Amino acid sequence: MRIDELKRIAEENGYEFHDEHGLITISRISLDYENIVKISKGRLNCLWIHNTRCDDKDLNVIKAAIDFAETPPEDREEQKKFYLRHRRICSKGFYLYLQKLSDVADMMSVRVFDFSGNDDIKFSEKEIEEIKKKFDTDLKDFELVEVEE
């Protein structure tokens, strides 16, 4: 499990998420109870759970925390995303666009300041390798441009 998935699950279940000093702390605290999960970022299978009550939301977070703790530390970080800019026509702003629902690859002219809301033109390294296989291409006409969020 990646750290962004753990954070999403924690927040969906009413937990606060803190990532500092090599430790992830997920907590839900009120006057009636105190539920805290701490997970080592650098060590496999290392977590601490303090739970004074448990409902479905708490169980969801505990399961996610265990899954995260069992994930090797090198596989926990968010994946970098890239734009695939066409090398020869990049002056016109052409980037690879993949309609993810229909698996149709197409070129699309997009201005740089329009990128933020369009996930169909952002790809992880794994997704880029899948595109190469699926469309039987080496993408040599495209250069990787790292997405800066």
Side-chain angles (χ1 to χ4, degrees), residues 123-146:
F123 304 98
S124 67
E125 290 176 350
K126 181 180 177 184
E127 290 171 324
I128 290 169
E129 291 305 313
E130 290 171 2
I131 290 168
K132 287 179 179 179
K133 284 182 186 176
K134 186 171 202 157
F135 296 103
D136 192 27
T137 183
D138 57 9
L139 295 174
K140 68 180 180 182
D141 292 333
F142 292 87
E143 64 182 341
L144 298 179
V145 179
E146 189 171 342

Side-chain angles (χ1 to χ4, degrees), residues 57-116:
K57 290 181 177 190
D58 302 306
L59 192 58
N60 290 339
V61 170
I62 291 169
K63 287 178 182 178
I66 291 169
D67 189 19
F68 184 80
E70 292 176 335
T71 301
E74 63 272 11
D75 295 337
R76 295 176 179 175
E77 292 302 316
E78 295 180 48
Q79 297 176 348
K80 290 182 182 177
K81 294 280 187 165
F82 299 91
Y83 302 115
L84 293 167
R85 181 170 53 203
H86 200 279
R87 292 182 190 277
R88 286 180 282 235
I89 51 179
C90 63
S91 63
K92 296 182 181 178
F94 281 91
Y95 294 79
L96 182 68
Y97 174 76
L98 182 66
Q99 292 176 310
K100 294 183 180 178
L101 295 177
S102 63
D103 291 331
V104 175
D106 198 1
M107 297 286 288
M108 179 180 183
S109 179
V110 183
R111 294 182 187 269
V112 173
F113 53 81
D114 290 335
F115 282 149
S116 59

